[in-house]
Amino acid sequence: MKYKTVIFDMDGTILNTLEDLADALNYALKNNGFPVRQLNETRTFMGNGIMNFIRKGAPEGTDSGILEKIKKDIDSYYSVHCADRTRPYPGIPELLTALRKKGYRTAVVSNKEDYAVQKLCSRYFDGLFDAYAGERRGIRRKPAPDTVNEVLRKFRCRREEAVYIGDSEVDIQTAENADMDSLIVDWGYRDRDFLKAHGAGKLFSDTESLRAAIMI
């Protein structure tokens, strides 16, 4: 087989987390006297880490101290409610199980806060990943290749033997920065035309076709 390691993004790729993240953002905005956001608005804020998510969600020009307060409120809410409405995308657990049975190493690399990545992987994908990592101090977030490179070092895997799977322009750029192949899905938080405009090649709309592309 061409690939030995399969690295996945989390939000919009293996888990639909949008509603719980929108609820957390709106809880924090309301708590700080700001208007709440619609679900479709929140969708466009995803992909670049928690502080970018907050800056886009808060009114323009919000003071940095208030942004930090919003982050604390989001963390407080989300740590309890991160799995209220979150669900794996159809076919993802089955895809991961099939990959594991065939001997692939699997990992999650996300710009989501690390505590949430750990909790959600344990809840929804127990035993289906060899490694998972979220945003944490001292490690540059995607599209920097740091977390991807960390996984490759851990697995002692050459980058030409690994593939990165995601749903956004951040994921496309991450794979390019890591000098590795990528497969981009269209069921997440970006539209097909947007993904094509940002360099996606063939887009995948179901896990069966994605599985076939991995197992070439």
Side-chain angles (χ1 to χ4, degrees), residues 35-60:
V36 299
R37 294 290 197 161
Q38 297 299 311
L39 191 65
N40 281 340
E41 289 182 288
T42 309
R43 181 174 178 260
T44 67
F45 304 158
M46 305 280 284
N48 283 286
I50 186 63
M51 288 311 298
N52 280 307
F53 180 72
I54 291 166
R55 288 187 194 99
K56 290 177 180 178
E60 187 175 352

Side-chain angles (χ1 to χ4, degrees), residues 141-157:
R141 67 176 178 269
K142 300 181 299 181
D146 299 31
T147 45
V148 171
N149 289 336
E150 185 179 338
V151 168
L152 296 178
R153 283 193 298 269
K154 179 176 181 177
F155 293 170
R156 296 182 182 179
C157 179

Side-chain angles (χ1 to χ4, degrees), residues 10-144:
M10 176 171 273
D11 298 286
T13 301
I14 60 173
L15 282 178
N16 186 347
T17 57
L18 181 59
E19 290 177 301
D20 285 331
L21 284 166
D23 288 346
L25 175 64
N26 284 335
Y27 167 83
L29 290 174
K30 231 175 144 180
N31 211 36
N32 287 275
F34 296 132
V36 299
R37 294 290 197 161
Q38 297 299 311
L39 191 65
N40 281 340
E41 289 182 288
T42 309
R43 181 174 178 260
T44 67
F45 304 158
M46 305 280 284
N48 283 286
I50 186 63
M51 288 311 298
N52 280 307
F53 180 72
I54 291 166
R55 288 187 194 99
K56 290 177 180 178
E60 187 175 352
T62 299
D63 180 79
S64 61
I66 300 298
L67 293 177
E68 287 294 337
K69 173 64 166 50
I70 291 172
K71 181 182 183 303
K72 288 180 181 178
D73 289 344
I74 286 178
D75 285 342
S76 174
Y77 180 94
Y78 196 65
S79 64
V80 177
H81 298 283
C82 67
D84 286 2
R85 296 196 279 175
T86 288
R87 295 292 182 271
Y89 285 102
I92 289 293
E94 294 81 4
L95 171 63
L96 293 169
T97 299
L99 291 175
R100 302 284 288 179
K101 285 182 178 178
K102 290 289 186 179
Y104 291 86
R105 304 294 297 273
T106 55
V108 171
V109 167
S110 176
N111 278 344
K112 194 181 201 70
E113 293 278 275
D114 192 61
Y115 76 85
V117 172
Q118 305 291 325
K119 185 172 182 176
L120 291 172
C121 279
S122 295
R123 179 182 178 95
Y124 293 108
F125 307 113
D126 189 33
L128 294 179
F129 287 107
D130 297 292
Y132 31 85
E135 184 173 352
R136 55 206 195 279
R137 292 184 185 277
I139 302 290
R140 292 182 301 169
R141 67 176 178 269
K142 300 181 299 181

